[in-house]
């Protein structure tokens, strides 16, 4: 019995360590105002706005980080289509016009500039957080038109794995992206479950609550798991250092 008690205590201690030091309910409450949705507005359609994925406020509070593939499809001028950012909670949603787009095709990252200032999330200074660290992600796993109700999932960093992300098609390959094809880089592999609507969601360290990556449900999985007949439950995230590089490049006002 004593051996069983000691083993249980050890397991609980290890679980507590893996769970990190961030108070998760407080963390979720703090970050929710910074979680936004990316949608396609079509005044002639019903519904008028289709949610496509998730984004989060960063930088000066007027910058929205997300995956580039979410906004990659050209809009139809004949129907006045345009991509928009949606902020708020529940049914109290505000629609923001996108003023400028900065993009990093090689890492499937886009920074969307809006006019209004929203609460920005703090980005991690770590180039890559170590495997085994507890993480969480918050976004819109099932996009809908009923309002903005973000969901949070938790897990650990399962591995650092190399990947090369293809462009949407060969016409979009630029010189920088072509160079990247020859230089695979590391992404986070997670045991937390994400869904297509989670693309663009922030990935948080549960040690200090900072953003360490951007969830990527489409391009990374298509590259890493092309040999699978059915998609797996594995989730990937682009390290936040690539977002920081884009913000520092001066192309995202």
């Amino acid at each position: 019995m004593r051996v069983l008690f000691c083993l249980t205590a050890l397991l609980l201690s290890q679980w507590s360590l893996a769970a990190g030091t961030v108070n998760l309910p407080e963390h979720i409450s703090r970050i929710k105002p910074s979680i936004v949705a990316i949608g396609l507005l079509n005044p002639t359609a019903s519904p008028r706005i289709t949610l496509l994925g998730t984004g989060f406020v960063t930088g000066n509070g007027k910058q929205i980080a997300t995956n580039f593939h979410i906004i990659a499809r050209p809009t139809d001028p004949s129907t006045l289509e345009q991509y928009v950012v949606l902020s708020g909670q529940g049914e109290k949603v505000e629609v923001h016009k996108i003023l400028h787009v900065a993009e990093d095709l090689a890492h499937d990252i886009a920074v969307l500039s809006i006019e209004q200032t929203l609460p920005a999330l703090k980005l991690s200074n770590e180039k890559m957080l170590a495997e085994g660290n507890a993480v969480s992600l918050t976004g819109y796993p099932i996009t809908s038109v009923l309002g903005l109700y973000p969901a949070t999932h938790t897990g650990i960093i399962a591995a650092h794995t190399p990947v090369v992300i293809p462009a949407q098609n060969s016409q979009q390959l630029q010189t920088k992206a072509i160079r990247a094809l020859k230089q695979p880089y590391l992404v986070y592999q997670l045991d937390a479950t994400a869904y297509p609507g989670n693309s663009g969601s922030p990935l948080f360290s549960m040690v200090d609550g900072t953003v360490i990556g951007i969830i990527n449900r489409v391009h990374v999985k298509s590259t890493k798991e092309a040999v699978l007949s059915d998609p797996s439950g594995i989730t990937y995230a682009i390290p936040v250092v690539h977002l920081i590089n884009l913000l520092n490049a001066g192309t995202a006002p």
Side-chain angles (χ1 to χ4, degrees):
M1 181 64 72
R2 182 183 178 119
V3 173
L4 180 60
F5 174 82
C6 291
L7 180 59
T8 301
L10 177 61
L11 290 174
L12 287 174
S13 174
Q14 290 177 337
W15 178 87
S16 178
L17 180 61
T21 59
V22 170
N23 181 304
L24 191 56
E26 291 182 1
H27 169 74
I28 293 173
S29 177
R30 176 178 60 82
I31 66 168
K32 282 174 68 173
S34 303
I35 308 300
V36 300
I38 312 300
L40 182 64
L41 170 63
N42 184 337
T44 66
S46 181
R48 293 175 61 246
I49 297 178
T50 302
L51 299 189
L52 304 175
T54 303
F56 60 94
V57 186
T58 185
N60 60 15
K62 298 181 179 182
Q63 297 166 309
I64 309 299
T66 189
N67 290 157
F68 174 76
H69 73 258
I70 294 175
I71 59 163
R73 182 181 73 81
T75 55
D76 183 357
S78 67
T79 61
L80 301 179
E81 273 188 339
Q82 59 179 301
Y83 291 106
V84 292
V85 172
L86 297 92
S87 65
Q89 300 291 315
E91 298 178 5
K92 297 180 179 180
V93 176
E94 186 169 356
V95 180
H96 305 269
K97 182 179 180 180
I98 296 172
L99 305 177
H100 180 271
V101 177
E103 59 196 42
D104 176 358
L105 297 183
H107 300 99
D108 193 31
I109 297 174
V111 173
L112 318 177
S113 297
I114 61 175
E115 184 175 1
Q116 184 176 343
T117 302
L118 300 173
L121 295 176
K122 184 178 180 181
L123 306 182
S124 173
N125 293 322
E126 296 281 346
K127 187 174 181 180
M128 289 286 285
L129 201 65
E131 296 159 314
N133 271 289
V135 293
S136 70
L137 61 100
T138 300
Y140 303 100
I142 302 175
T143 54
S144 75
V145 295
L146 299 179
L148 300 184
Y149 299 93
T152 297
H153 304 272
T154 61
I156 65 167
I157 297 173
H160 297 164
T161 182
V163 70
V164 169
I165 300 179
Q168 289 289 103
N169 54 58
S170 59
Q171 283 71 39
Q172 287 186 337
L173 282 174
Q174 298 178 355
T175 303
K176 192 178 295 185
I178 291 173
R179 284 201 301 267
L181 294 176
K182 301 177 182 179
Q183 300 174 347
Y185 59 93
L186 293 177
V187 299
Y188 292 115
Q189 180 176 312
L190 314 171
D191 70 346
T193 301
Y195 298 90
N198 275 124
S199 287
S201 297
L203 177 69
F204 297 95
S205 163
M206 287 292 91
V207 175
D208 60 9
T210 59
V211 178
I212 65 166
I214 305 173
I215 298 298
N216 191 299
R217 272 284 308 178
V218 176
H219 282 326
V220 176
K221 288 181 71 67
S222 67
T223 301
K224 297 292 293 182
E225 304 181 15
V227 297
L228 301 179
S229 58
D230 296 310
S232 76
I234 298 174
T235 298
Y236 300 98
I238 308 297
V240 76
V241 63
H242 302 295
L243 170 60
I244 294 174
N245 290 340
L246 180 59
L247 291 170
N248 291 341
T251 56

